[in-house]
Amino acid sequence: MRAKTILMLSAGLMTLAGAVQAADEPSTVDEVIITAEKREASLQDTPVAVSAYTAEARQLLGITTLQDVSNFTPGLSYSSSDDRVFVRGIGRQTNTNGSDPGVATYTDGVYDSQTSSVSASDFFIERIEVLRGPQGTLYGRNSIGGAINAISKRPTDELSGDIRATFGNYGRFDLEGAVSGSITEGFRARLAAGHYNQEDGYYDNAAGGPSEGGAGERTYAELQLEADLGETIEAWAKLSTSSADTQNRTTIYTGAYDYALYPTAQITPGSAIGYGTAGVIADGPATNPSLNGPGRFNTDTPIRQKLSDVIGLATDVTWSLPGVDIRYIGGYRTYDYLSVSDLDNTSVESYTVPLDPGFSICAAFIPGCGPVTIAPSQAFIYSEDKSYGSSELNFSSNGEGPVRWIAGLYYYAEELDQASRFNTPNLVQIRAPANGPANPDGDFVYAASSLKTRSAAIFGQLDWQFTDQFKLTAGLRYTEDKKEGFEALRVVCYGCGGFTPDQYGTSTPALDVTAASISTAPAPGVSSPVTIDPATGIARRSLSGSWDAVTGALGLEWTPNEDTLAFAKYSRGYKAGGFNAGGITPLPQTDEESVDAFELGYKRNFGRTLLLNVAAYSYNYEGLQVPLTVTTSAGINLTQFFNIDEATSYGLEVEGVWRPIDALRLSLSYAYAQSEIKEACCFVDGVDPLAAQPGSQAQGPLVGGQQPQSLKGQDLPQTPAHKVALNASYDVDFKAGTLTLSGSYIWRDDSYSGVFNREYTKVPAYDQVDLRAVWSGAGSRYRVIAFVKNAFDEQGYDSATGVRLASPPAAIDTYGITYGLTPPRTFGLQLQYSFN
C-alpha cells in the first residue's frame, strides 16, 4: 500500500510539473555527459537505461557509499554484508574462488572485480554511471546484469587544490586533500590522498569486547599524470595505493542459541550448551542479546578486516587520426586481504562436558579418564592474495557521417589464492588427530584454492543513422574464458563417529575425516586425481575448464525531436561458468549463465524544467549459478554449485527531475520488478532438509535422509517488487553564498536473499530519511555540509540467511536468522576549502 501511494503521489507530481512548465521558464535541468557507449554523449541522447551521479550530485544527495548508489538507482541492489551487486535480479550468489560477479565494475574503463573503487569518495570520483541490462558488446566480461563505471577527477590546467575534513558521530574523522595543475605546457598532474577513521562501532558487544560496525581506519592515495603528446595523442595514467584495518561488522545473528552438544552439521562441540554447565567461563549473557532486534552481539572473537599491499595502475592513451581514434585502456591491481570473525556467535570460552550419568565408556573402561574441559570458541579466517589486469585496444570512427562504428580487442588475466579456515583457536585436542598428521593451526575445516583466469574477446558495434529520426545499432562480441588451478581441503573433527565427549571424556579423540569428506570420482572440470599429502593431511586436486559465447545487441532509436529519444533493444548477456573451488565436491564445475533481454526505453525533456526517463524490460534467464548446501557422508555441510534451468523477469523503471523554479529541484526514481524461477529441480534446503517449512515443494523420495524440493515459482534473489527514492532540494541565495537544503526519502520492498523463498531468507522492507544542509561560499572557495543519514534511526536490511537449530530452546525455534544490516543514524559536519 505504501509503495502504491508513493508511486501515485510521484506520478501526480510529475504530471503537475509537465502541466505548469513553460517554454520561457528560466530554470534548467542540468545536462549530464556520460561515456556509457565509450564515447562522450549526453545521458538523454544515450539509448541505454543508465543512471549517472556527478560529484556535485553526490554531495547534494548524500551519496557516499555503494549502498547509497543502490538506494537512488532503479533496479540496483547491493548487499554490503557480502559485497555483492545485483541489477534487475542478476548478480552473484557466492564469493567463492572460481565464481564471477554478474555486474561488471569498472574504474576509468578498467575492469575491477571488486566494488570498493566504484564506491570511492566523490573527492576522487567525478562521476558514477550505472548501466542497467546486459552490456554484452562493449563491456562484455561479467556484464550479464549490467555495468558500473567510475570516472576519476582528472588533472586541471590551472593550479588548484582542495582540502576537506569530515567530523561525525561514532568518533568519525576523515581528512582528504588534493593538488592539481600543469607542470609544463601540455603536461598535468594531480596528487590526492585521504585518511578515514571511525573510533566506535555501530553495535555493542554484550561480552564487553570492542564495538563493531563501521569502525576502523582506511587510507588512499593516488598520483595522476596527463599529457598532450603533440596534437593527436592524449595520454593519462594513474598510480594508486590503499590500505584498511577495520572492524566492519555488517551482520548480526538474531536467532536463539543452539544448545545442542553438536549443533547442525557441526563437527566440534557447540558453545551455547556450555551456558548450562557448571564452571562455564563466559563474559556475556546466556541468551542472544539480539533476540528482540539487532543492535547488540555477544562474541569473544573480535571481528577484523585488513587490506594491505594494494597497488593499482591504470592507463588511457588515445591517438586521433583522420577518420579514426585508436585507444588503449589498460590496468593492473594487486592486494592482500585478511578477515577474522566470530563463528559461534557466543562468548563461551570454556566449559566442562559432564559424563553421561547413566553410563559412559570413560568411567567404565578407561583408567584415569574423567570429564573433559573444552574451549569451543570458533573463528572464521578468510584470506585472499589477488592480482589481475586487463588490456583493451579499440578503434572508433570520429567523423560526423551517418555511420559510426567501434571495434576492439580485449584481454583479462587474474590470479587468486583464497583460503577459508574454520578454526577453533583454543581447542587443543583438535591439533593432534588420532589418525593423521598434526593439525597445528587448529582448523576443523581448511578449504583453499588457487586459480588462474584468462579471458579474451573481440567486439564491434555499428550505428547507422538511416534517416533524420531513426538509427539502427548492431553489435557482436565473441568471448573465450578459461580457468585452471587447484583446490585443497582438510577436515578434522572432535568427538565425531560416536566418540562423543560425554562418553569418552578426556579420552575423546580428534579424527581426520578428510578422506570421507571428499569426492574422488571423475567429474566435469576435474583435471587430476585427488591426492592427500601424508605430511599435512591436506587433500588436493586440479581443476580446469573453458567456456565461450557470442553476445551482442540489436537496437532501433527514434528521435522525433531534439528533446525526445525512444528506443527498442534486444541484447544477449553471458557469464562464464566456474568452480566451487575448495570443497572437493562431486560436481565442482558450473555451466555458464545467459540472458536474452528485451527492452523499451523513453527519454524526454519537457522544455527546460522537466526530465523523464522510462525503461521497461523482459528477461529470459538461463543457467543461474546458485551455491546450495550439501551434507557429506562425514556429516559436515559444504557448498556445491548448481545451475537453475530457467527464470524470467520483467519490470518498469522511472527516473524524473523537475525544476519548477530555479531554486527548487525535485527528483524521483522508482522500480517495479517481478521475477520467477520457471524450472529447477531438485534441490535440498540445508535449513529445511525435510521440506517441512511453509512454501516448500517436496519432489520425489528422500535422498540420504533429506527431501529434495522444486524451486518452481520462487523469486530471484535481491529483487524487491518496489523500490523508490524521492529527493527535494531548495537553494536560498545570500550575498555571501548559497544555502541548499536537501531531503531524501528511500523505501525498499522486501525481497529474498536465496532461491528458497522462506522467512529465514526474507530481507524485510525498510525506509530511510536523509537530510542535508549545504553552504557554498561565493566564488566556490569553501563549502560546509551538515548531514544526517537515516534521520529516524530505522533499521535497514540488505541480506538474510538462516541456520537450522538442532536443539532450540523451544519447539517453534527451528531456525535462526542472520541479517545483513544497513547503518543506524549517523550525522556530522563536513568542511571543504578550495583554491585555484
Side-chain angles (χ1 to χ4, degrees):
M1 178 62 70
R2 183 190 304 191
K4 293 180 180 179
T5 302
I6 292 171
L7 182 58
M8 292 173 61
L9 290 174
S10 303
L13 179 67
M14 292 301 175
T15 302
L16 176 62
V20 303
Q21 70 87 26
D24 59 351
E25 183 64 60
S27 58
T28 302
V29 176
D30 295 332
E31 182 182 35
V32 178
I33 302 299
I34 62 174
T35 54
E37 294 195 305
K38 301 202 173 185
R39 305 176 188 267
E40 287 194 350
S42 169
L43 185 149
Q44 292 302 100
D45 295 333
T46 303
V48 177
V50 56
S51 302
Y53 306 95
T54 64
E56 180 67 14
R58 292 177 65 188
Q59 286 264 296
L60 296 178
L61 291 171
I63 296 177
T64 58
T65 66
L66 191 53
Q67 183 69 60
D68 295 329
V69 175
S70 76
N71 287 340
F72 286 94
T73 304
L76 177 65
S77 295
Y78 175 65
S79 172
S80 61
S81 57
D82 42 32
D83 193 29
R84 298 176 194 165
V85 183
F86 294 79
V87 173
R88 296 174 175 172
I90 299 178
R92 74 185 305 173
Q93 307 295 324
T94 177
N95 297 345
T96 299
N97 196 2
S99 68
D100 289 314
V103 178
T105 51
Y106 291 81
T107 304
D108 299 306
V110 178
Y111 178 78
D112 190 339
S113 59
Q114 307 299 310
T115 63
S116 56
S117 56
V118 298
S119 57
S121 167
D122 62 77
F123 194 84
F124 302 96
I125 299 298
E126 178 60 38
R127 186 176 66 256
I128 297 174
E129 302 170 3
V130 183
L131 288 67
R132 306 190 295 278
Q135 308 298 316
T137 302
L138 297 181
Y139 288 86
R141 176 170 174 76
N142 297 335
S143 62
I144 183 173
I148 305 176
N149 193 16
I151 296 91
S152 297
K153 291 184 175 179
R154 297 299 176 93
T156 56
D157 291 316
E158 303 297 327
L159 180 64
S160 63
D162 302 274
I163 187 167
R164 177 194 289 179
T166 305
F167 307 86
N169 59 333
Y170 297 102
R172 176 185 173 185
F173 176 66
D174 302 340
L175 185 63
E176 299 165 306
V179 61
S180 178
S182 293
I183 298 176
T184 63
E185 184 177 353
F187 185 44
R188 300 166 294 280
R190 173 181 164 89
L191 179 64
H195 181 268
Y196 310 88
N197 186 63
Q198 183 173 307
E199 294 291 336
D200 303 317
Y202 302 137
Y203 313 112
D204 292 328
N205 190 346
S211 58
E212 299 173 355
E217 188 174 23
R218 297 179 293 114
T219 61
Y220 175 80
E222 68 177 29
L223 172 64
Q224 296 184 41
L225 299 175
E226 189 175 54
D228 301 323
L229 305 178
E231 296 182 356
T232 60
I233 300 178
E234 296 179 357
W236 170 86
K238 180 176 74 173
L239 178 67
S240 62
T241 185
S242 61
S243 65
D245 191 348
T246 62
Q247 300 84 50
N248 191 26
R249 171 179 288 273
T250 56
T251 62
I252 287 185
Y253 175 67
T254 63
Y257 288 145
D258 193 332
Y259 295 96
L261 179 59
Y262 285 88
T264 302
Q266 196 160 308
I267 56 175
T268 62
S271 296
I273 189 175
Y275 287 120
T277 63
V280 61
I281 299 177
D283 294 325
T287 56
N288 188 356
S290 286
L291 277 175
N292 296 320
R296 300 180 75 211
F297 60 97
N298 176 30
T299 65
D300 57 352
T301 302
I303 198 168
R304 186 181 184 186
Q305 302 92 12
K306 189 172 183 179
L307 182 67
S308 60
D309 299 328
V310 183
I311 299 293
L313 176 65
T315 58
D316 189 343
V317 181
T318 301
W319 184 16
S320 296
L321 298 172
V324 62
D325 288 341
I326 303 174
R327 186 181 183 190
Y328 172 79
I329 306 171
Y332 172 82
R333 192 167 187 253
T334 182
Y335 67 84
D336 290 332
Y337 177 75
L338 174 68
S339 73
V340 179
S341 58
D342 192 280
L343 195 59
D344 60 290
N345 291 308
T346 77
S347 59
V348 175
E349 297 178 21
S350 70
Y351 64 89
T352 299
V353 181
L355 296 176
D356 188 325
F359 174 82
S360 74
I361 294 175
C362 172
F365 299 108
I366 305 177
C369 181
V372 63
T373 298
I374 62 172
S377 297
Q378 296 179 357
F380 177 59
I381 304 170
Y382 174 82
S383 62
E384 283 187 8
D385 181 357
K386 187 172 185 176
S387 60
Y388 54 96
S390 64
S391 292
E392 179 180 314
L393 181 65
N394 67 54
F395 306 83
S396 60
S397 61
N398 56 21
E400 296 297 330
V403 176
R404 304 187 75 185
W405 53 268
I406 182 172
L409 303 169
Y410 179 81
Y411 183 75
Y412 174 81
E414 172 185 297
E415 295 186 9
L416 172 58
D417 296 333
Q418 184 183 80
S420 297
R421 296 172 50 203
F422 300 81
N423 184 263
T424 50
N426 302 313
L427 187 63
V428 295
Q429 294 92 337
I430 208 167
R431 298 175 186 267
N435 61 335
N439 181 30
D441 293 328
D443 299 328
F444 58 92
V445 175
Y446 169 81
S449 58
S450 178
L451 291 180
K452 294 181 179 179
T453 298
R454 302 291 184 266
S455 180
I458 182 171
F459 63 90
Q461 180 169 299
L462 181 72
D463 298 325
W464 177 31
Q465 185 84 47
F466 60 93
T467 74
D468 289 342
Q469 295 186 359
F470 289 94
K471 180 192 290 187
L472 183 67
T473 297
L476 284 175
R477 186 182 188 104
Y478 175 70
T479 303
E480 289 186 346
D481 292 289
K482 184 174 183 178
K483 300 176 183 180
E484 59 182 357
F486 69 86
E487 59 178 342
L489 180 73
R490 189 182 190 191
V491 182
V492 179
C493 68
Y494 178 68
C496 61
F499 296 97
T500 55
D502 61 335
Q503 282 293 316
Y504 285 83
T506 52
S507 296
T508 303
L511 299 176
D512 188 322
V513 293
T514 304
S517 304
I518 61 176
S519 172
T520 58
V526 176
S527 56
S528 77
V530 178
T531 60
I532 298 179
D533 188 333
T536 64
I538 296 175
R540 171 173 165 156
R541 74 177 175 187
S542 297
L543 302 171
S544 180
S546 60
W547 304 264
D548 64 276
V550 175
T551 57
L554 182 65
L556 181 66
E557 300 173 43
W558 177 46
T559 52
N561 54 61
E562 64 179 8
D563 294 323
T564 305
L565 169 65
F567 62 89
K569 181 169 65 174
Y570 162 79
S571 55
R572 182 169 176 83
Y574 151 83
K575 185 172 83 170
F579 299 109
N580 180 42
I584 312 190
T585 57
L587 297 172
Q589 181 175 292
T590 182
D591 292 333
E592 67 274 8
E593 294 183 6
S594 64
V595 63
D596 291 303
F598 302 87
E599 185 168 349
L600 297 175
Y602 179 78
K603 298 184 177 184
R604 176 74 185 272
N605 289 321
F606 295 88
R608 294 178 296 170
T609 62
L610 177 63
L611 175 153
L612 183 64
N613 294 340
V614 181
Y617 65 89
S618 176
Y619 285 2
N620 186 46
Y621 188 16
E622 295 182 349
L624 167 63
Q625 299 164 4
V626 176
L628 296 175
T629 300
V630 295
T631 303
T632 71
S633 58
I636 65 170
N637 282 352
L638 293 176
T639 300
Q640 187 166 309
F641 258 161
F642 297 94
N643 287 98
I644 299 301
D645 294 334
E646 182 182 1
T648 60
S649 63
Y650 61 90
L652 177 71
E653 299 163 347
V654 180
E655 294 178 287
V657 179
W658 177 34
R659 293 194 69 169
I661 58 175
D662 279 341
L664 180 62
R665 182 183 186 276
L666 303 172
S667 67
L668 158 75
S669 72
Y670 169 77
Y672 170 76
Q674 289 292 309
S675 64
E676 181 182 0
I677 294 175
K678 290 293 188 179
E679 185 178 352
C681 194
C682 297
F683 307 104
V684 173
D685 181 356
V687 185
D688 181 26
L690 296 179
Q693 291 292 328
S696 62
Q697 303 177 78
Q699 295 288 316
L702 295 178
V703 178
Q706 298 180 326
Q707 176 62 65
Q709 299 184 41
S710 169
L711 294 175
K712 185 176 181 179
Q714 304 294 281
D715 292 349
L716 291 175
Q718 296 290 351
T719 311
H722 301 277
K723 187 162 79 83
V724 66
L726 300 169
N727 175 264
S729 64
Y730 189 81
D731 297 334
V732 183
D733 292 325
F734 298 89
K735 186 175 182 180
T738 300
L739 175 65
T740 301
L741 303 176
S742 173
S744 299
Y745 175 77
I746 296 134
W747 180 75
R748 184 185 298 256
D749 208 348
D750 55 38
S751 61
Y752 294 95
S753 280
V755 290
F756 290 100
N757 296 172
R758 306 291 185 265
E759 281 300 311
Y760 42 82
T761 63
K762 188 174 183 179
V763 183
Y766 72 94
D767 60 1
Q768 179 175 313
V769 173
D770 298 340
L771 303 172
R772 296 173 76 81
V774 181
W775 173 260
S776 302
S780 301
R781 286 282 185 179
Y782 62 93
R783 172 171 282 187
V784 180
I785 300 177
F787 61 88
V788 181
K789 297 186 73 170
N790 193 7
F792 298 106
D793 205 20
E794 297 290 335
Q795 182 59 69
Y797 304 86
D798 63 29
S799 67
T801 55
V803 60
R804 182 164 54 97
L805 303 180
S807 181
I812 59 173
D813 295 321
T814 58
Y815 58 83
I817 305 175
T818 297
Y819 286 113
L821 307 178
T822 61
R825 177 171 51 229
T826 58
F827 54 85
L829 188 70
Q830 186 177 95
L831 311 174
Q832 181 167 332
Y833 177 77
S834 304
F835 69 86
N836 49 38

